[in-house]
Amino acid sequence: MLSPIDRLFHTSDFSDFLFNNLDDAMCLIDAGFHVLRANDALKKIFNSDENIENMFFGNASKCVHFARTNKACGEAESCAACAVYTGVAEAAGSGKKINRISVPWECTENGEKTEKHLQFTFIPLTFFDQTCILISIHDISVQEEQERRIKELAGRDFLTGLADRRYFYDVCESYFRTARRGFINLAVCMIDIDSFGAVNDTYGHKAGDLMLKELASVMEKNIRQSDFISRYGGDEFCLIFQYKKTADVFSAAEKLRGQVETHEFVYKTKTLRITISIGVTVRLGHSTDTLVGRAGRLLRAAKEKGGNRVEVDG
């Protein structure tokens, strides 16, 4: 005979109270992936006002594979890669709580497709010898976006907002491999401000910082969206771009040099002008270090010839 507290736990009113008064999205499924109970918070995450109880979980959570095949969880080949299916199977098999953190999930909101990042927790439970799985779901999309922004900022130069040297090498390596396979023509430009030390000596480092920041903005506005520019270090910048004809390489670099030469940099009441020198290489060599090193040597050649010029190999 059940005690009063046991009777309380086994009443539908009490289970309704628990499910409907918890902020966590939760559902209880049986071994056949039928939803025995689900709360309103779960329906909110999956944007469903339907009664999703007694339906297969794949349909309840708007599983795209279920929608295509009309198969239950575990019946499609794609289920082997599904975080929900494998989480349930692992929890049921081990009898232990299983966590799946940051699972991308395609949802539809206001008629538009969007991707949420969800955290699933699978807790195996036994009721009268029947194995069930309690699934708790948290929408961690905001946290994921924050982490993405932190990682993105970690590869950025704090002053100019451009990619930093470490991030540049990651991107350059990707471009380099693509160029080696013959899919693109690749040019690398090393860029340096002429007589930048004189700006710092005459007007101070604040003026120099302002100039670097504004120069980065000028160059970003005068390159294509497909080009990639970074602050290499100090007053040096590095630009990667694709081209169709070799004649386009000099034209693009020369246009950038001219834009900087005519730009007016204003610091307090002073109007300053600067020039840049550019070394450009189109010869891939055997590594990104070789590529960047050759562009650097061409940059030094441009400086030795008086600066404010473009030096291109080939």
Side-chain angles (χ1 to χ4, degrees):
M1 185 172 179
L2 295 175
S3 68
I5 195 69
D6 287 333
R7 285 199 299 272
L8 175 63
F9 271 89
H10 284 81
T11 60
S12 60
D13 289 344
F14 185 70
S15 57
D16 286 343
F17 173 80
L18 283 179
F19 265 76
N20 294 329
N21 285 278
L22 291 173
D23 293 331
D24 292 355
M26 301 177 71
C27 70
L28 187 68
I29 67 171
D30 63 16
F33 286 85
H34 292 88
V35 178
L36 305 176
R37 188 174 293 276
N39 66 358
D40 291 338
L42 182 135
K43 297 175 185 178
K44 184 177 180 181
I45 280 187
F46 294 111
N47 301 299
S48 175
D49 293 326
E50 302 171 10
N51 178 13
I52 62 176
E53 295 178 20
N54 300 317
M55 297 169 64
F56 291 113
F57 187 78
N59 191 33
S61 60
K62 307 298 182 184
C63 172
V64 292
H65 301 295
F66 181 91
R68 295 192 195 109
T69 64
N70 201 34
K71 292 182 178 180
C73 287
E75 292 183 359
E77 291 182 6
S78 56
C79 293
C82 174
V84 175
Y85 174 74
T86 56
V88 170
E90 190 174 342
S94 66
K96 297 178 181 179
K97 181 174 73 172
I98 302 297
N99 287 318
R100 291 283 187 270
I101 299 174
S102 189
V103 178
W105 204 273
E106 186 179 280
C107 300
T108 302
E109 291 184 350
N110 300 321
E112 295 184 3
K113 287 186 177 180
T114 184
E115 187 178 79
K116 292 181 179 180
H117 286 267
L118 306 178
Q119 176 179 311
F120 289 84
T121 301
F122 307 93
I123 305 172
L125 302 171
T126 302
F127 296 107
F128 300 106
D129 297 325
Q130 181 184 5
T131 299
C132 300
I133 304 293
L134 180 67
I135 304 177
S136 174
I137 307 170
H138 296 269
D139 186 348
I140 57 171
S141 302
V142 174
Q143 296 93 313
E144 276 292 313
E145 176 63 18
Q146 289 173 342
E147 288 186 15
R148 186 194 66 78
R149 288 288 299 151
I150 289 171
K151 289 178 182 178
E152 182 180 299
L153 291 172
R156 294 283 168 182
D157 173 56
F158 77 98
L159 178 64
T160 63
L162 298 178
D164 62 16
R165 184 170 180 167
R166 179 184 58 80
Y167 189 28
F168 159 76
Y169 270 100
D170 288 342
V171 173
C172 190
E173 181 66 23
S174 177
Y175 273 83
F176 177 77
R177 290 177 181 176
T178 305
R180 288 278 290 193
R181 291 195 294 268
F183 296 130
I184 61 171
N185 295 319
L186 180 64
V188 171
C189 308
M190 290 296 293
I191 304 165
D192 184 74
I193 301 176
D194 298 320
S195 303
F196 182 65
V199 174
N200 283 329
D201 294 341
T202 305
Y203 301 102
H205 288 284
K206 285 187 177 180
D209 287 349
L210 175 71
M211 186 168 288
L212 288 170
K213 189 173 181 179
E214 191 165 341
L215 173 61
S217 177
V218 170
M219 291 193 292
E220 273 197 304
K221 290 176 182 177
N222 286 282
I223 61 175
R224 299 168 304 177
Q225 192 173 3
S226 59
D227 299 336
F228 180 82
I229 191 166
S230 68
R231 185 183 180 190
Y232 194 75
D235 60 323
E236 281 190 332
F237 299 83
C238 199
L239 170 65
I240 307 171
F241 68 93
Q242 304 171 47
Y243 64 91
K244 291 184 178 179
K245 299 181 293 183
T246 52
D248 297 336
V249 176
F250 179 79
S251 297
E254 180 61 24
K255 178 185 175 183
L256 185 61
R257 183 205 62 76
Q259 291 287 347
V260 175
E261 183 181 25
T262 57
H263 184 78
E264 293 183 348
F265 295 82
V266 178
Y267 177 67
K268 295 183 178 180
T269 59
K270 301 287 185 179
T271 299
L272 311 177
R273 291 181 183 273
I274 59 169
T275 59
I276 57 174
S277 295
I278 307 176
V280 189
T281 183
V282 295
R283 296 177 181 173
L284 288 179
H286 62 273
S287 69
T288 53
D289 285 334
T290 302
L291 191 64
V292 175
R294 185 179 291 114
R297 288 192 292 275
L298 289 163
L299 170 62
R300 288 192 292 274
K303 303 279 278 187
E304 289 168 359
K305 292 178 181 179
N308 192 26
R309 61 179 288 125
V310 176
E311 224 25 60
V312 183
D313 66 8

